[in-house]
């Protein structure tokens, strides 16, 4: 459950980054930015699962089809082909395929960046106080997210986002920092450690 929740957090966090660029248009500039830039983001999140409030903080780095994320004791790395979800406290790692051919948006949320025009359609917009604007997006294809409600600041950056998932769970993401950063080596998006005999390794490749 802990790893599943963390994957959903990754997806909603990256969705927040994606929607911000989508709202600014044009869509082609979105693809160009993530094809040529490295983007870092910090966000706080909360959700309620079975009546229990779950809160946390995550740091995300996205570069082309690769990403890494750390937060609340878990680490996730995706080098564009393979994804590692690591729980160091319990010495557990899950290794899964992570490629565009799989088209699994829950397992590889970076695909949301590529297929945003296929997955969502803006359904409404309204102005809020302090120059903020609220956008509502409805899903038009299966990505694991049925609806996204985003509040953007006057400079176009994300203030917060609420994401409704297919299973009915709702995530709220508050973006505290989002910026371009220096390019990372490919090795940055793979775990730099050995998983010895004391680790429980689940390899689904």
């Amino acid at each position: 459950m802990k790893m599943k929740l963390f994957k959903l957090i990754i997806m909603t966090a990256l969705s927040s980054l994606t929607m911000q660029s989508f709202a600014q248009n044009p869509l082609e500039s979105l693809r160009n930015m993530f094809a040529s830039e490295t983007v870092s983001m910090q966000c706080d999140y909360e959700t309620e699962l079975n009546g229990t409030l779950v809160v946390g903080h995550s740091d995300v780095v996205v570069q082309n089809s690769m990403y890494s994320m750390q937060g609340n004791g878990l680490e996730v790395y995706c080098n564009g082909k393979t994804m590692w979800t690591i729980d160091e406290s319990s010495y557990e790692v899950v290794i899964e395929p992570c490629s565009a051919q799989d088209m699994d948006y829950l397992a590889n949320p970076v695909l949301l960046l590529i297929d945003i025009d296929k997955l969502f359609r803006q359904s409404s917009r309204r102005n809020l106080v302090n120059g903020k604007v609220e956008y509502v997006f409805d899903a038009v294809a299966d990505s694991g997210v049925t609806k996204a409600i985003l509040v953007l600041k006057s400079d176009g950056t994300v203030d917060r986002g609420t994401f409704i998932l297919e299973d009915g769970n709702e995530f709220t993401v508050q973006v505290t920092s989002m910026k371009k950063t220096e390019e990372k080596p490919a090795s940055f998006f793979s775990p730099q450690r050995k998983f010895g005999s004391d680790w429980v390794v689940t390899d689904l490749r």
Side-chain angles (χ1 to χ4, degrees):
M1 175 61 71
K2 187 177 180 182
M3 287 191 174
K4 180 180 180 182
L5 174 61
F6 199 62
K7 285 184 184 179
L8 295 177
I9 292 165
I10 295 173
M11 185 184 66
T12 52
L14 291 179
S15 297
S16 174
L17 181 60
T18 302
M19 294 293 192
Q20 177 259 332
S21 300
F22 179 71
Q24 289 183 339
N25 284 329
L27 180 60
E28 195 59 35
S29 67
L30 164 70
R31 290 173 172 162
N32 291 340
M33 181 178 71
F34 285 98
S36 60
E37 301 288 350
T38 302
V39 179
S40 67
M41 181 170 66
Q42 296 180 339
C43 63
D44 298 318
Y45 63 86
E46 68 176 46
T47 186
E48 187 172 306
L49 293 177
N50 300 321
T52 301
L53 183 65
V54 180
V55 298
H57 175 85
S58 297
D59 298 312
V60 184
V61 177
V62 183
Q63 181 173 292
N64 299 322
S65 62
M66 303 181 292
Y67 58 86
S68 70
M69 185 171 181
Q70 289 81 38
N72 284 32
L74 290 178
E75 303 172 35
V76 173
Y77 299 92
C78 177
N79 62 9
K81 296 181 179 179
T82 303
M83 180 171 69
W84 297 262
T85 304
I86 303 168
D87 185 345
E88 189 166 6
S89 64
S90 62
Y91 287 83
E92 182 180 1
V93 57
V94 177
I95 308 172
E96 305 171 79
C98 185
S99 65
Q101 288 74 24
D102 295 327
M103 297 304 290
D104 185 347
Y105 294 101
L106 287 177
N108 188 358
V110 174
L111 292 176
L112 287 167
L113 305 176
I114 305 301
D115 291 342
I116 187 66
D117 55 333
K118 300 177 183 178
L119 300 175
F120 295 94
R121 178 182 60 240
Q122 181 182 319
S123 60
S124 67
R125 165 184 169 161
R126 68 186 180 104
N127 295 326
L128 305 178
V129 297
N130 299 325
K132 296 178 182 179
V133 181
E134 179 188 81
Y135 294 87
V136 178
F137 297 87
D138 291 325
V140 296
D142 182 18
S143 66
V145 178
T146 61
K147 177 175 289 189
I149 304 169
L150 296 177
V151 175
L152 306 185
K153 299 177 183 178
S154 58
D155 62 0
T157 58
V158 175
D159 179 63
R160 63 185 182 274
T162 300
F163 302 89
I164 312 301
L165 307 181
E166 289 179 347
D167 60 6
N169 282 321
E170 180 177 303
F171 274 79
T172 298
V173 178
Q174 186 80 37
V175 178
T176 58
S177 175
M178 181 167 52
K179 60 187 178 180
K180 296 178 182 179
T181 187
E182 71 278 0
E183 183 177 357
K184 307 295 185 184
S187 59
F188 181 86
F189 301 98
S190 299
Q192 302 301 304
R193 70 180 75 187
K194 300 290 185 180
F195 301 109
S197 59
D198 53 341
W199 282 77
V200 176
V201 179
T202 303
D203 195 334
L204 303 177
R205 292 174 292 179

